[in-house]
Amino acid sequence: MKRLSQCLVPLLLLVLSGCAASLPPPDPAQWVRDCRASPIPMPTTDDGGGPLLFATTRLPDCRAGSFTMSVERSDVMRLGWYEADAAVKPGDPVTPNLANEEDWWTTLAAQLARGQGRVLLFVHGYNNNFASPAVRLRMMRAAGEFRGPAILFAWPSQDAVLKYPWDETNVDWTQAYLNVMIRRLARDPAVNEIVLVGHSMGSRSVIDAMEVLDAAGLAKVRTVILASPDVDRDRFSQIIQGIPGRAGVVSGERHYTVYLSAKDSAIGISRRIHHYPRLGSPFCFGKDKFARCYPKPSPVLDVVDTSWVSKSDLGHNDFLDSPQAAEDLKQALQGKSGPLPGRLPAVSGIDDDPVGDGIWRLCPTEGCARTKGKKAKVTTSG
């Protein structure tokens, strides 16, 4: 019965998404006619606080006299800012503000000077409105003690569980705009480093950018972080390891950190929809339900398994919600890699040999207990 229910969930998701009402797109001219830019306040301290920035391909709706984000596409990428202090939590409302383009880039330059030329660019995932990833970017900036500018790339997710296929279409549609933003940042002489973070479905846009941008566009992308990536694991390995006729990522060029969890139920459903293993889960084909598989080790890759420190049944936001994972993320955002404090080698069983270099697990204070007393087989693939 459990096996049957696992198969029916993704099938139901696909069927119901096809039953959703299809309405013609709105007239953008009417929705944006009354949109007005607001001056961006400068931070009063030098501790990495102050307004956060965004670039969006969501169509704004200003018909009611305020700037709000819709779920519709916009052919124009707009720039803006917002404020979210430590009291604002995921699920709380966040007010976006449209910015004049010149003002936006001037603010970016000022924040770059404060942050030694490092910029954080975050691409959110599926089933999101504007506010939730906006708050998570604030949490990320605080967790990583990031002093430079933090930019949310907000694409038109439908903010609905049953519209997964719509989000897949939109994240693909928005790719060209993300590429434009990365190229523009790379050309900015004040930018020394781009830290690129993708969460869930947003990780697809990140790795697509890594694949299609030329050397000039990627020159300043040195740190890439993929959290709960809803990405085909083998496709990711093609980029990292290379395939015949195309080289992989050269050591020293940029470093990748992947956060994954066996408790990530959202990634588990995605794997059943797509059949093949997802990068965000250590899933293995086979009869042994305790078996674990990770991407093939590489000098440019750290894989961090948060299964043992997950703080929720969903396990999809461990990179920020788990204190141990958030501390590890802090190090990764600062460009650190390898055997960091708190990282233990992932093993085939608690007492067995490590899987490979760069494959880690995070454990609570009492240590990583075996699953139901049985050794968990761990292998690498890709």
Side-chain angles (χ1 to χ4, degrees), residues 108-110 112-113 116-119 185-193 220:
L108 181 81
L112 282 167
Q116 291 77 51
R118 302 182 79 231
V119 57
L185 290 171
R187 290 198 307 268
D188 192 327
V191 174
N192 294 326
E193 180 184 357
K220 296 179 181 179

Side-chain angles (χ1 to χ4, degrees), residues 64-317:
S66 60
F67 183 85
T68 60
M69 295 285 194
S70 77
V71 298
E72 303 292 343
R73 296 176 174 181
S74 171
D75 290 333
V76 177
M77 182 167 63
R78 291 174 171 84
L79 306 176
W81 61 277
Y82 66 95
E83 293 185 297
D85 59 28
V88 181
K89 306 299 181 184
D92 292 344
V94 172
T95 301
N97 301 276
L98 182 65
N100 173 276
E101 185 171 350
E102 182 178 355
D103 189 19
W104 195 90
W105 288 103
T106 299
T107 300
L108 181 81
Q111 293 185 353
L112 282 167
R114 184 184 64 191
Q116 291 77 51
R118 302 182 79 231
V119 57
L120 172 60
L121 180 59
F122 174 49
V123 186
H124 66 78
Y126 143 78
N127 186 25
N128 266 295
N129 53 24
F130 175 82
S132 182
V135 173
R136 293 203 177 277
L137 177 57
R138 189 272 302 164
M139 295 171 62
M140 200 182 312
R141 182 176 71 172
E145 299 179 357
F146 200 91
R147 294 179 176 271
I151 305 171
L152 170 65
F153 185 84
W155 53 276
S157 167
Q158 298 299 292
D159 191 24
V161 172
L162 296 181
K163 292 186 178 180
Y164 183 89
W166 296 30
D167 275 12
E168 283 195 308
T169 300
N170 277 345
V171 80
D172 182 58
W173 166 85
T174 204
Q175 185 65 49
Y177 296 93
L178 176 63
N179 294 347
V180 166
M181 174 54 67
I182 295 174
R183 288 192 188 100
R184 177 66 178 82
L185 290 171
R187 290 198 307 268
D188 192 327
V191 174
N192 294 326
E193 180 184 357
I194 301 170
V195 179
L196 193 53
V197 181
H199 179 227
S200 189
M201 192 179 286
S203 297
R204 300 187 198 181
S205 288
V206 170
I207 69 165
D208 282 352
M210 297 300 94
E211 188 173 32
V212 303
L213 289 177
D214 58 16
L218 296 176
K220 296 179 181 179
V221 181
R222 300 194 182 97
T223 299
V224 179
I225 299 173
L226 305 177
S228 303
D230 186 7
V231 173
D232 186 295
R233 186 195 296 157
D234 289 340
R235 182 166 184 274
F236 176 73
S237 291
Q238 290 174 350
I239 296 173
I240 298 297
Q241 308 291 339
I243 60 174
R246 190 184 70 188
V249 179
V250 178
S251 181
E253 192 173 51
R254 69 187 58 87
H255 194 85
Y256 292 76
T257 301
V258 173
Y259 292 95
L260 51 76
S261 173
K263 295 184 178 180
D264 193 329
S265 57
I267 296 298
I269 292 174
S270 176
R271 191 264 304 168
R272 294 181 187 100
I273 292 173
H274 297 96
H275 176 65
Y276 293 101
R278 313 306 281 171
L279 181 60
S281 172
F283 170 82
C284 261
F285 284 118
K287 296 181 179 180
D288 189 345
K289 65 179 180 180
F290 299 108
R292 289 177 176 273
C293 279
Y294 299 105
K296 187 176 180 180
S298 166
V300 303
L301 175 65
D302 281 314
V303 176
V304 182
D305 190 339
T306 64
S307 301
W308 288 271
V309 296
S310 179
K311 293 298 180 181
S312 72
D313 293 335
L314 182 62
H316 198 54
N317 294 303

